[in-house]
Amino acid sequence: MRIACKIAIIVIAIQAISFADIGCTTGDFILSLPTAHVWPPLALTRPSLQVRYDTENFRIHFDITGNNAVYQSDVDINPHDGVPDYVNRMGEYLESSRLAFVNLHGFDPPPPDDGLGGNDLYDVYVTEITGLVVPEFPSDHYPGRQAYSSYMFIGRDLRNQHHPDDPIPFLKVTCAHEYFHAVQMAYRAFGRDETPWWYELSAVSAEEIVFDGVNELYYYLPDYYLKIDKSLYLTGGSHMYGSWVFAQYLCQNHGFEFIRRIFEKLISLDQSINAISVVFAEANLNFLTEYADFMSWNYFTAANWRPGFFEEGPDFPLSVPLIRIHDIYPTGMVIDPKTIENLGGAHIVFNDPGVPKSTLVIHFYGDDNYPLVFAVGSIPDSGFVTFGIYYVPPGESLSVRIPQFHNLDAALMTVVWPYQGFTIRDSADFKYSAEIDTIETSISSEETMVPASFRLLGNYPNPFNSATIINFEWNFSSENYKFEVVDVTGRKIGEMTGKAEIGLNALRWRMMENQACGIYLYKITIGGFERTGRMLYLK
């Protein structure tokens, strides 16, 4: 059933392009929506074009004469069917995209448009607009969702600066990118994100699912890597296109279905970052450590690539910029080398100075107001990199030793301000120093890179309404732990057991639905050690 729509809707576009009839960029267009009274704008209503071509699932509208004629509109060879080959290829690429997203990976197809455009096929209009999906009206095809029917614009000639004589490469990825946006509209057409960052980066990454060999998305990487200190979820513009590597990290480690589960959570959650956090929690994954790991991966690209990181990392055009490279020790105190925004990061390299039997000692001092996470990677001359990941509460410090530094090529320190369960518009600072210790030790690097003590780091989200993650650090060999939850009267309501490993640990606790809202206390016991905390349960 079609419902009149006069509300502001986030429109997703493939890049910051100028609309010929509007005279503004996509970013400007999105920001103008809160004041919109009529939808869609006149310049983005369904145009009347000369010819229609139907595939199994798409109706493509296009012109063959005039200023809006498709590329080589007179070329009709493969196949010879009265349709320009450019349009034939567009139909094939759209069908390939639908096959990949809907049939192979289980995404829901876009809601039908009640026959607008002439039938129930998904409508594609071939014009001067490079690529754009327009949510048209709310749909009850998927009950309980803020799903929207939509239609698509694709450029009539997609030659670009990278392929000045051939529109096919960019046509392929545009079809995949835009159809994934149409699929997103089946789950939630708009939300409370300040920028459409998740919608864009996931759509760019989806290009690889359909057309893995085209790699147009590499051209966006500098826009993210050169501003990797900026917030993943607050930074719009070209930054959000280049941050497709975050979705790629998720796909490579957890499968493309992980992306689908995030959109399924967006049905009931307003912000993308919260949907991502919930999916991590439900998979018993620690978002804090996973994100620090992802940030470290971004260094191991281009000439820095090593096995175990991005599969296509050797082909990336660049790696992240380093805020410091150290060759001489001691470094002295390095104060505020870089401020980082929430879910932004910074990278520092410590090169081996050639001192025999040396240990690298890093002293890290966190921000006074916010927690930070830093990962230290031991980089051998060849082979696999090993990591330690450390949580530093506000106003605290931590020292890490890397023995046999003389056997390494370098060490990488990646600093990240982790997500804390809510969006934060601010910057965090840190400082550090490093020195070389030549006292021999028989302790291995893995055993040395451990927390200074058994520390309970709290739970997030807190308050929570279903499940929460409890983080703690353990500094001895693997040992079983016991986790207990009691109410404020001391009555035990549940417990669980697990194995604590060296470094940062996380456990997931789900409250029973029949439990009352309120404050609950929890205790972790490992050997003869105990730590206690408190959490707030809300329904």
Side-chain angles (χ1 to χ4, degrees), residues 373-387:
V373 171
F374 72 100
V376 179
S378 297
I379 307 174
D381 292 333
S382 62
F384 292 94
V385 180
T386 58
F387 276 96

Side-chain angles (χ1 to χ4, degrees), residues 255-386:
F256 193 49
E257 287 68 25
F258 200 87
I259 306 296
R260 188 193 68 232
R261 295 205 299 273
I262 292 170
F263 279 100
E264 290 170 348
K265 290 300 177 185
L266 270 170
I267 294 171
S268 58
L269 295 171
D270 282 337
Q271 292 186 318
S272 304
I273 190 66
N274 291 333
I276 294 169
S277 299
V278 169
V279 173
F280 269 102
E282 290 184 348
N284 290 318
L285 297 170
N286 189 325
F287 187 17
L288 183 154
T289 56
E290 288 263 346
Y291 198 79
D293 187 48
F294 156 69
M295 271 292 177
S296 297
W297 274 41
N298 291 295
Y299 170 79
F300 297 98
T301 59
N304 298 331
W305 185 81
R306 293 293 181 94
F309 297 98
F310 289 115
E311 292 173 351
E312 297 184 16
D315 300 322
F316 287 6
L318 77 167
S319 181
V320 292
L322 299 172
I323 62 170
R324 292 288 191 280
I325 302 174
H326 293 288
D327 298 290
I328 300 174
Y329 306 90
T331 63
M333 185 64 70
V334 182
I335 299 175
D336 300 338
K338 189 74 172 181
T339 60
I340 54 177
E341 297 179 357
N342 195 224
L343 292 187
H347 299 77
I348 300 104
V349 161
F350 302 91
N351 286 322
D352 170 27
V355 177
K357 299 180 180 180
S358 62
T359 294
L360 177 66
V361 183
I362 301 174
H363 307 286
F364 185 88
Y365 304 84
D367 187 89
D368 289 336
N369 301 307
Y370 301 113
L372 293 176
V373 171
F374 72 100
V376 179
S378 297
I379 307 174
D381 292 333
S382 62
F384 292 94
V385 180
T386 58

Side-chain angles (χ1 to χ4, degrees), residues 51-375:
V51 185
R52 295 179 297 188
Y53 167 62
D54 292 351
T55 67
E56 181 180 358
N57 295 288
F58 297 88
R59 167 161 283 188
I60 302 174
H61 307 253
F62 61 98
D63 283 351
I64 56 174
T65 61
N67 294 332
N68 212 36
V70 299
Y71 173 76
Q72 293 185 343
S73 61
D74 58 341
V75 176
D76 177 21
I77 301 173
N78 182 25
H80 182 58
D81 60 352
V83 177
D85 286 356
Y86 182 78
V87 177
N88 284 129
R89 300 293 83 73
M90 185 183 300
E92 292 172 7
Y93 304 151
L94 289 166
E95 289 290 352
S96 295
S97 301
R98 190 185 192 281
L99 175 66
F101 302 144
V102 176
N103 298 78
L104 298 182
H105 291 286
F107 283 83
D108 293 329
D113 63 2
D114 295 348
L116 295 177
N119 58 19
D120 288 332
L121 299 178
Y122 189 90
D123 291 298
V124 179
Y125 296 91
V126 186
T127 70
E128 291 287 354
I129 298 174
T130 300
L132 184 71
V133 168
V134 181
E136 190 168 22
F137 58 86
S139 172
D140 57 7
H141 184 73
Y142 298 110
R145 301 187 188 182
Q146 297 184 44
Y148 270 67
S149 171
S150 63
Y151 53 89
M152 181 189 304
F153 289 96
I154 290 184
R156 65 178 188 85
D157 180 357
L158 289 185
R159 291 175 291 179
N160 62 17
Q161 67 270 34
H162 308 298
H163 306 281
D165 301 316
D166 184 5
I168 295 303
F170 198 44
L171 176 61
K172 287 181 176 180
V173 297
T174 301
C175 288
H177 185 115
E178 297 306 330
Y179 187 68
F180 194 69
H181 280 322
V183 166
Q184 292 166 352
M185 299 302 151
Y187 297 90
R188 189 185 190 95
F190 59 95
R192 294 176 57 191
D193 289 338
E194 295 191 36
T195 70
W197 64 279
W198 171 248
Y199 282 64
E200 286 300 350
L201 74 83
S202 62
V204 176
S205 180
E207 298 169 13
E208 286 283 278
I209 301 298
V210 190
F211 300 108
D212 184 39
V214 178
N215 296 328
E216 286 285 300
L217 72 179
Y218 290 174
Y219 298 117
Y220 297 125
L221 271 176
D223 297 317
Y224 175 57
Y225 277 179
L226 298 180
K227 296 185 292 183
I228 202 166
D229 56 302
K230 303 300 181 184
S231 172
L232 179 74
Y233 61 81
L234 291 175
T235 311
S238 56
H239 181 276
M240 60 189 177
Y241 296 94
S243 59
W244 63 266
V245 285
F246 178 54
Q248 188 66 25
Y249 172 88
L250 298 179
C251 291
Q252 187 169 325
N253 287 279
H254 310 298
F256 193 49
E257 287 68 25
F258 200 87
I259 306 296
R260 188 193 68 232
R261 295 205 299 273
I262 292 170
F263 279 100
E264 290 170 348
K265 290 300 177 185
L266 270 170
I267 294 171
S268 58
L269 295 171
D270 282 337
Q271 292 186 318
S272 304
I273 190 66
N274 291 333
I276 294 169
S277 299
V278 169
V279 173
F280 269 102
E282 290 184 348
N284 290 318
L285 297 170
N286 189 325
F287 187 17
L288 183 154
T289 56
E290 288 263 346
Y291 198 79
D293 187 48
F294 156 69
M295 271 292 177
S296 297
W297 274 41
N298 291 295
Y299 170 79
F300 297 98
T301 59
N304 298 331
W305 185 81
R306 293 293 181 94
F309 297 98
F310 289 115
E311 292 173 351
E312 297 184 16
D315 300 322
F316 287 6
L318 77 167
S319 181
V320 292
L322 299 172
I323 62 170
R324 292 288 191 280
I325 302 174
H326 293 288
D327 298 290
I328 300 174
Y329 306 90
T331 63
M333 185 64 70
V334 182
I335 299 175
D336 300 338
K338 189 74 172 181
T339 60
I340 54 177
E341 297 179 357
N342 195 224
L343 292 187
H347 299 77
I348 300 104
V349 161
F350 302 91
N351 286 322
D352 170 27
V355 177
K357 299 180 180 180
S358 62
T359 294
L360 177 66
V361 183
I362 301 174
H363 307 286
F364 185 88
Y365 304 84
D367 187 89
D368 289 336
N369 301 307
Y370 301 113
L372 293 176
V373 171
F374 72 100

